[in-house]
């Protein structure tokens, strides 16, 4: 993506558009912070993804999100870089999230990943393929994960995982399951499939990015760097296209061993290498969410936060096995909890903290996590039925989310407020998966 002045046309042929009817009141400091973060993303990636644009309505959260995701994917850690992106593909594919799968296919190739792996799980090393069971369980029924699953991964001879590698993988899996919920919940998935974005070339506060390029708040040096990197990306993407073409030629005569519909295609502008079918990344596709409250098992399987919590147990375990990521996760959890929701809470007739806790605890309740000090009658009292339906769909069945659901639920609420709800869904779901996985790892370690 090459930035253009207001008088020129957008690279895709359309002039930059502003969101109609979605003016968001932000302080000047919030706008400047969002703009600065957007420019940093553009300078490092050469594009501004829809997820980043949506989160830009809450710059403080976007900052903590970008730091944590950058650490997971690009900083020193137990897992090789290519494996990190492939795990992201596996996690996103559980929810049929084309947006994230295609984004990380491109990143996988950029860091030197083997293109053959993109043909599906049958073509990856057994060690990576063995992670699929945990990926499946955490995505849909995290309460089923046990220390036996952990032991199996850690004791498979030469294909075994180390504890540090497994913690890194678990955090990646939980992150991308939850991020898939956000992608579907905010309509990014459908917009991507349609080849457009309702937020393309826009900034929070109804300001066009092209217009902001000449403002004092933007770092012009970063913009210059981004232009250079955008040109460099064109050369890089041409190389990636050639690699994909070679794979096509090599496998052309072996269709009988190739998963159906595994062709790859490219955008007309070469921005991304696309997958046309995600089934090759998913085993046991019929395995899905099951209402925890309607199971036949007795209630002794409830996860009680008093017995195992993020603050008292999960945080220290993650930090011990994967240095510093615990602090970044904790910052993200605290940041989303600190976001202001006064307008939403006022409409519901309660305090902001009560409203946010109701959403958080409702999501955890769907995964069998209970807080003994919380009155769950408040959920029905403060959360409207349509809001609960929306939250449950985005949390448990994100791939079934209709883009219209985002536009229609809470019509009286601003776009930024709806994004806020989706951020709560993202973080609550991620913490729920982490709690189950980390508890199983702890049980393995002390057994």
């Amino acid at each position: 993506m090459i930035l253009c002045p207001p008088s020129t046309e957008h690279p895709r042929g359309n002039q930059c558009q502003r969101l109609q009817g979605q003016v968001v009141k932000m302080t000047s400091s919030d706008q400047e912070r969002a703009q600065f973060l957007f420019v940093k993303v553009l300078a490092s990636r050469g594009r501004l993804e829809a997820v980043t644009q949506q989160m830009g309505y809450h710059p403080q959260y976007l900052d903590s999100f970008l730091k944590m995701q950058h650490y997971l994917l690009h900083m020193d850690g137990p897992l090789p870089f290519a494996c990190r992106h492939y795990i992201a593909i596996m996690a996103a594919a559980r929810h049929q999230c084309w947006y994230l799968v295609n984004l990380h296919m491109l990143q996988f190739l950029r860091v030197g990943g083997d293109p053959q792996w993109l043909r599906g799980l049958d073509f990856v090393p057994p060690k990576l393929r063995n992670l699929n069971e945990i990926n499946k369980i955490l995505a849909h029924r995290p309460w089923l994960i046990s220390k036996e699953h952990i032991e199996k991964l850690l004791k498979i001879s030469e294909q075994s995982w180390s504890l540090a590698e497994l913690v890194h993988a678990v955090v990646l899996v939980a992150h991308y399951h939850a991020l898939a919920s956000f992608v579907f919940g905010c309509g990014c998935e459908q917009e991507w499939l349609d080849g457009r974005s309702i937020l393309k070339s826009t900034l929070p506060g109804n300001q066009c990015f092209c217009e902001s390029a000449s403002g004092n708040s933007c770092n012009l040096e970063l913009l210059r760097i981004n232009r250079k990197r955008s040109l460099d990306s064109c050369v890089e993407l041409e190389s990636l296209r050639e690699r994909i073409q070679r794979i096509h030629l090599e496998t052309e005569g072996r269709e009988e061993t190739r998963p159906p519909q595994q062709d790859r295609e490219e955008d007309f502008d070469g921005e991304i290498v696309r997958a046309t079918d995600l089934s090759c990344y998913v085993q046991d596709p019929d395995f899905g969410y099951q209402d925890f409250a309607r199971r036949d098992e007795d209630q002794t399987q409830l996860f009680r936060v008093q017995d195992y919590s993020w603050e008292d147990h999960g945080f220290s375990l993650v930090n011990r096995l994967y240095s510093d990521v615990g602090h970044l996760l904790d910052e993200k959890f605290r940041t989303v909890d600190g976001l202001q929701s006064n307008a939403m809470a006022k409409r519901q007739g309660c305090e902001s903290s009560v409203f946010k806790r109701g959403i958080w605890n409702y999501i955890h309740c769907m995964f069998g996590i209970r807080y003994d000090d919380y009155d769950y009658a408040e959920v029905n009292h403060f959360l409207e039925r349509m809001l609960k339906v929306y939250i449950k769909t985005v949390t448990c069945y994100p791939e079934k989310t209709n883009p219209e659901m985002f536009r229609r639920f809470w019509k009286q609420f601003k776009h930024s407020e709806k994004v806020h709800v989706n951020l709560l869904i993202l973080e609550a779901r991620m913490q729920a998966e982490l709690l189950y996985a980390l508890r199983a790892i702890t049980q393995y370690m002390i057994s």
Side-chain angles (χ1 to χ4, degrees), residues 311-331:
E311 294 81 4
D312 296 332
H313 306 90
F315 170 80
S316 59
L317 177 63
V318 169
N319 244 22
R320 177 150 49 101
L321 295 174
Y322 184 15
S323 179
D324 292 334
V325 79
H327 290 291
L328 294 170
L329 286 168
D330 195 61
E331 178 187 341

Side-chain angles (χ1 to χ4, degrees), residues 128-376:
L128 195 55
R129 188 163 60 248
N130 290 335
L131 188 67
N132 182 67
E133 185 70 11
I134 282 183
N135 177 36
K136 177 185 75 173
I137 293 173
L138 286 178
H140 306 292
R141 305 176 203 172
W143 57 85
L144 295 181
I145 196 168
S146 66
K147 66 177 183 180
E148 284 73 27
H149 292 107
I150 305 303
E151 183 176 12
K152 185 177 180 181
L153 287 174
L154 297 176
K155 293 186 176 180
I156 306 182
S157 62
E158 70 278 2
Q159 303 300 334
S160 64
W161 291 69
S162 70
L163 269 173
E165 288 175 332
L166 185 56
V167 167
H168 192 172
V170 161
V171 175
L172 280 167
V173 163
H175 175 72
Y176 281 99
H177 290 162
L179 190 55
S181 285
F182 182 86
V183 167
F184 281 102
C186 288
C188 302
E189 174 76 1
Q190 189 59 46
E191 298 296 340
W192 184 88
L193 290 173
D194 292 343
R196 57 190 174 85
S197 174
I198 58 175
L199 290 173
K200 187 173 294 178
S201 302
T202 60
L203 284 175
N206 208 38
Q207 183 176 11
C208 176
F209 188 77
C210 292
E211 294 173 3
S212 72
S214 59
N216 293 329
S217 61
C218 288
N219 188 320
L220 297 180
E221 177 62 18
L222 282 176
L223 295 180
R224 184 191 66 77
I225 294 172
N226 176 64
R227 291 190 181 98
K228 180 180 183 301
R229 290 191 179 182
S230 296
L231 293 172
D232 292 342
S233 295
C234 294
V235 178
E236 179 186 10
L237 288 164
E238 182 62 32
S239 175
L240 292 178
R241 284 198 297 271
E242 292 176 0
R243 293 173 66 184
I244 291 294
Q245 184 61 31
R246 285 200 298 270
I247 294 299
H248 285 168
L249 294 175
E250 292 172 3
T251 59
E252 203 170 42
R254 295 176 288 172
E255 292 298 321
E256 67 279 1
T257 63
R258 182 178 179 173
Q261 301 180 11
Q262 283 311 295
D263 294 320
R264 305 286 186 262
E265 40 178 67
E266 301 144 27
D267 273 325
F268 64 89
D269 57 2
E271 283 189 359
I272 196 166
V273 179
R274 294 182 185 270
T276 57
D277 180 39
L278 302 185
S279 62
C280 64
Y281 303 118
V282 178
Q283 294 177 351
D284 195 5
D286 295 330
F287 186 89
Y289 176 77
Q290 179 185 74
D291 280 347
F292 185 88
R294 296 180 181 177
R295 299 169 308 113
D296 294 331
E297 291 87 349
D298 59 66
Q299 292 302 301
T300 58
Q301 292 194 26
L302 281 173
F303 188 115
R304 299 195 178 278
V305 175
Q306 284 71 15
D307 298 329
Y308 196 96
S309 68
W310 166 256
E311 294 81 4
D312 296 332
H313 306 90
F315 170 80
S316 59
L317 177 63
V318 169
N319 244 22
R320 177 150 49 101
L321 295 174
Y322 184 15
S323 179
D324 292 334
V325 79
H327 290 291
L328 294 170
L329 286 168
D330 195 61
E331 178 187 341
K332 198 155 60 81
F333 293 146
R334 293 178 184 276
T335 300
V336 78
D337 183 57
L339 294 179
Q340 294 300 312
S341 58
N342 295 330
M344 291 189 292
K346 185 177 180 180
R347 291 187 182 96
Q348 302 305 111
C350 63
E351 295 294 326
S352 174
S353 59
V354 174
F355 180 71
K356 288 186 292 186
R357 190 181 184 193
I359 292 177
W360 188 278
N361 288 1
Y362 175 56
I363 294 167
H364 277 196
C365 182
M366 288 186 286
F367 290 117
I369 299 174
R370 304 282 287 191
Y371 296 79
D372 289 345
D373 60 348
Y374 183 71
D375 180 5
Y376 283 86

Side-chain angles (χ1 to χ4, degrees), residues 433-446:
E433 291 190 26
L434 286 176
L435 285 174
Y436 277 110
L438 295 175
R439 184 182 67 169
I441 292 174
T442 300
Q443 290 172 340
Y444 166 80
M445 293 173 66
I446 64 178

